Amino acid sequence: MFEPPPVLPNVEWPYLQILVRLALSLALGLLIGLERERRGKEAGLRTFGFIALLGALGGSLGVAFALLILALVGMLAVLLNVQTLRAGQGTELTTSAAMLVTCVAGILCGQGHTISPAAVMVIATALLAWKERLAGLSTGLTEGEMRSALLLAILAIVIYPALPAGPVGPWKLVDPRAAWVTVILIAGIGFVNYILWKLYGARGTELSGFLGGLVNSNFTVIELSSRVKQSPGGTVDSAYRGILLATSAMIMRNATLLLILAPLALLGSLAAFALMLATSIAIVMWSYGRRRHRLGEKSPEIKLELPFSLPLALKYGVVFLVLHVVGGLTQRQFGDVGFYFVCVVGGLMSSASAVAAAAALASQGSISPSVAGTGAVLASFTSLAFSLSFVLRTRNPDLVGKLVRATLCIAVAGILGLLIWGSVRPIVTQWIPELARLEGGL
């Protein structure tokens, strides 16, 4: 008699769980496949959908199957290139790389990952969709801009790990690594926004003013004011809106720095920053509503300097360290009033560095989050006044009058926001125990 064949092991997958993984992988594959299909590539919507599903199945079955499917997709990419070469169309290296990335993302989905494969596929699709724009950006890069990018990478990757960790010095006021992270953060925000300005800034003075304000609001105001001084005709209205949008960008940048470095400090200044930003945008929209198109109206151009350089890095570092140390000492000796004075003075040199120093002191527990938030708002006030001084040099009564009124409205909105926080602060501290502990312990 024949013995019955051995029963193979059977693994039962949770239906809903595996269905969600397969659906996510298919959606991500179709996303990148849609972009390839739109460009008329051989590997399009269905091919990338199948590759993502194969990767998800391999990731669900185990490491051995995942590697096998990845190898099969690699062979498929080779066959695709052979076919295009025979047709005289050249190689499809970009599509082949996208196929491998899709397979790996599908494997991650099959293993239960969600955020990481989705982020990778969105980035990959963006790289494919922005081919022309990225190519134009790379060919338009100057040698100085390339050096700026390399210098930023050196400061972040090479110098940062070599710095000592923890506070140093006799009073333990300076943390070199924390200070360097702040410098890299400010410079990195400026660099990214400089790239955005390179991509979109030439489309209009208002957009250039906003993106330029994210890089350096004072320099943007100087540029727009100088253009008005050179040709005061039809440039006043566009320069007026550009300066206001540069101010809005400065407010957004300072609030973002607080959010990243000391979120509780932003809570104390959120009402002030929100009202200042809303007032600035409302004035810009009102100006748009009153705009009258005039024949031959010229828009002033903005020419920003390099996004990042060694002198700029040293400036950020020195200003941050000085404000950090002096702010801490004056707060110890003269209380909150002394710290506020340092923030006001620091806003003349660099409002971003002043805000970062306030956030760093709050994160270290040297000052309360509310004091840090108020100091950040005061530094923004100083930056507003400093920018207005450049506009006064144009001696254009129309532009000066408009911006003085707009600046006063923005400042009043900020003061109103600080008063609102002062009234609701006892209620908020009851809701947030961590904030109450920090406020009460200082």
Side-chain angles (χ1 to χ4, degrees):
M1 296 180 62
F2 294 101
E3 296 182 1
V7 179
L8 295 176
N10 184 24
V11 177
E12 299 232 352
W13 283 337
Y15 176 74
L16 183 60
Q17 185 177 357
I18 193 61
L19 187 63
V20 170
R21 296 182 183 183
L22 292 175
L24 176 61
S25 64
L26 178 60
L28 296 178
L30 293 177
L31 173 66
I32 198 170
L34 183 63
E35 195 283 333
R36 294 286 85 187
E37 188 84 29
R38 186 179 65 86
R39 291 186 179 270
K41 300 297 181 180
E42 185 70 23
L45 194 64
R46 293 180 299 171
T47 303
F48 278 90
F50 282 128
I51 290 174
L53 284 176
L54 280 173
L57 290 173
S60 301
L61 289 170
V63 177
F65 287 94
L67 294 176
L68 175 61
I69 289 176
L70 185 60
L72 292 176
V73 172
M75 293 175 59
L76 181 62
V78 172
L79 292 176
L80 174 64
N81 283 275
V82 170
Q83 180 179 351
T84 55
L85 284 173
R86 286 181 176 178
Q89 300 175 357
T91 58
E92 290 284 351
L93 296 180
T94 303
T95 303
S96 302
M99 292 167 63
L100 295 175
V101 170
T102 303
C103 182
V104 173
I107 291 172
L108 291 175
C109 292
Q111 293 176 347
H113 298 273
T114 55
I115 300 298
S116 52
V120 168
M121 292 299 286
V122 169
I123 293 173
T125 306
L127 290 175
L128 294 172
W130 295 342
K131 173 186 175 182
E132 292 80 8
R133 195 170 294 278
L134 291 173
L137 176 64
S138 60
T139 55
L141 281 177
T142 64
E143 184 179 352
E145 292 167 348
M146 193 65 192
R147 286 198 304 267
S148 298
L150 292 175
L151 178 60
L152 182 59
I154 291 172
L155 295 179
I157 300 173
V158 179
I159 297 180
Y160 171 75
L163 296 175
V168 297
W171 296 292
K172 304 295 182 181
L173 288 174
V174 178
D175 187 340
R177 285 200 173 188
W180 205 250
V181 166
T182 305
V183 172
I184 295 172
L185 177 63
I186 296 174
I189 291 175
F191 190 89
V192 171
N193 291 317
Y194 179 86
I195 299 299
L196 292 175
W197 175 82
K198 289 276 288 187
L199 291 173
Y200 302 105
R203 295 190 177 183
T205 302
E206 290 81 4
L207 183 58
S208 298
F210 179 77
L211 295 175
L214 290 173
V215 180
N216 190 320
S217 59
N218 288 333
F219 186 83
T220 303
V221 173
I222 292 172
E223 277 287 307
L224 289 171
S225 300
S226 64
R227 296 296 184 269
V228 172
K229 194 173 182 179
Q230 293 169 6
S231 55
T235 63
V236 172
D237 289 338
S238 57
Y240 169 65
R241 290 187 292 271
I243 292 174
L244 283 178
L245 287 171
T247 299
S248 304
M250 180 270 295
I251 295 170
M252 291 178 58
R253 182 196 63 200
N254 291 347
T256 302
L257 286 173
L258 279 183
L259 177 63
I260 296 174
L261 298 174
L264 290 178
L266 176 61
L267 185 63
S269 58
L270 183 60
F273 279 123
L275 287 177
M276 291 168 67
L277 181 61
T279 302
S280 179
I281 294 177
I283 295 174
V284 172
M285 299 305 295
W286 181 76
S287 175
Y288 270 117
R290 291 175 55 88
R291 180 175 60 177
R292 297 292 183 269
H293 294 285
R294 289 178 289 185
L295 186 62
E297 180 180 356
K298 290 181 59 179
S299 295
E301 297 179 356
I302 301 175
K303 295 181 180 179
L304 291 177
E305 295 177 344
L306 291 179
F308 191 72
S309 61
L310 186 57
L312 188 61
L314 295 178
K315 172 193 170 183
Y316 283 142
V318 170
V319 172
F320 174 83
L321 288 177
V322 170
L323 293 177
H324 188 275
V325 174
V326 175
L329 291 176
T330 54
Q331 201 278 335
R332 293 180 184 179
Q333 296 296 324
F334 305 103
D336 296 342
V337 176
F339 173 74
Y340 293 151
F341 176 77
V342 173
C343 288
V344 170
V345 175
L348 294 174
M349 296 179 285
S350 171
S351 64
S353 296
V355 171
L361 288 172
S363 62
Q364 294 173 4
S366 301
I367 59 176
S368 68
S370 294
V371 171
T374 303
V377 175
L378 293 177
S380 301
F381 285 166
T382 307
S383 181
L384 283 173
F386 191 51
S387 298
L388 188 61
S389 66
F390 298 110
V391 179
L392 295 175
R393 298 178 185 177
T394 63
R395 298 182 180 179
N396 187 305
D398 189 16
L399 179 63
V400 171
K402 287 181 177 180
L403 283 175
V404 167
R405 291 190 293 269
T407 302
L408 287 176
C409 291
I410 295 172
V412 169
I415 295 173
L416 181 61
L418 292 178
L419 294 177
I420 292 174
W421 167 248
S423 61
V424 302
R425 175 180 169 185
I427 303 175
V428 176
T429 52
Q430 293 179 359
W431 293 346
I432 306 177
E434 179 67 15
L435 180 61
R437 182 183 67 80
L438 293 174
E439 295 285 348
L442 294 169

